[in-house]
Amino acid sequence: AWPCAGQSQATPLLNLTHFEMRSVLFLALAAASMMVATEAYMTGPALPTAASTRPATSAVSSLEMMRHAKKLPKLALPADQRKALLRGLTTEVIRHGRITTTLIRAKAVRGEVDKMIGLAKDGSLQARRTALGWMYDKQLVHALFEQAPERYADREGGYCRVLRTMPRKGDNAKMGIIELV
């Protein structure tokens, strides 16, 4: 409606409903805050003044996660299957002296092989029973307990090494060789 004679001309904002007025104000505030943010982004961070007592911090912070209690990889297996795999690999490494497997499995079984050789160097009855409970071959445990003390007498650890080899054909998995030293 056009104003009649003698009335002042109304601005378009005065003819808005309450909801429309709030929407316009919200959009105006959003646009103003975007302009301030854009200006701050374009000009960069403000330089610290001499009166500032806060230490300068980096504009970009790095986030690194900690590996709490992650000694062994899970090998994408449930706990019982993972334990059976490690027991089998440990038995075969000690039986053959050298096996080829995936690199992650080789690194996971390295600690178990070192434990078994450490138990064999100890030579006590409890160590023998612990090794018998872990390895699958009883005669292999007895042979290990006979030969390991003199073979590894001068070595305090690191009884096996993991070598990288070519990736496996088919799925390109990283492969490795684990062997007794």
Side-chain angles (χ1 to χ4, degrees):
W2 294 98
C4 298
Q7 291 181 343
S8 65
Q9 193 172 9
T11 60
L13 287 179
L14 297 178
N15 292 333
L16 297 176
T17 63
H18 179 69
F19 177 74
E20 292 170 338
M21 184 67 108
R22 288 183 57 168
S23 298
V24 168
L25 286 175
F26 174 74
L27 290 174
L29 288 173
S33 65
M34 285 177 54
M35 288 191 316
V36 169
T38 304
E39 182 182 345
Y41 176 74
M42 296 301 251
T43 59
L47 295 175
T49 60
S52 176
T53 57
R54 249 181 28 184
T57 58
S58 173
V60 178
S61 65
S62 64
L63 178 65
E64 295 182 17
M65 302 300 291
M66 298 181 104
R67 297 184 69 242
H68 294 292
K70 302 281 192 290
K71 289 184 179 180
L72 284 178
K74 290 192 175 186
L75 302 174
L77 293 172
D80 57 342
Q81 295 177 17
R82 184 169 55 248
K83 182 179 177 183
L85 175 72
L86 292 176
R87 288 177 68 186
L89 287 174
T90 303
T91 303
E92 295 307 311
V93 167
I94 292 175
R95 175 180 288 132
H96 298 290
R98 176 181 184 147
I99 62 168
T100 302
T101 182
T102 62
L103 187 63
I104 301 298
R105 287 180 180 180
K107 288 181 178 182
V109 78
R110 176 174 49 190
E112 301 300 328
V113 173
D114 283 351
K115 283 182 196 174
M116 292 302 116
I117 294 176
L119 290 173
K121 282 179 65 175
D122 180 22
S124 66
L125 180 61
Q126 180 60 41
R128 186 178 293 261
R129 287 178 175 167
T130 304
L132 284 168
W134 183 259
M135 292 173 53
Y136 287 128
D137 191 354
K138 185 177 180 179
Q139 285 77 28
L140 185 63
V141 172
H142 294 310
L144 176 67
F145 271 71
E146 290 173 5
Q147 297 171 4
E150 55 267 4
R151 181 175 175 179
Y152 298 108
D154 59 338
R155 194 176 275 269
E156 291 298 319
Y159 305 113
C160 57
R161 71 172 61 97
V162 176
L163 305 171
R164 294 172 185 259
T165 61
M166 296 298 293
R168 181 166 57 195
K169 288 184 180 179
D171 63 351
N172 204 31
K174 294 179 181 177
M175 298 297 287
I177 297 173
I178 182 167
E179 62 184 7
L180 297 175
V181 177

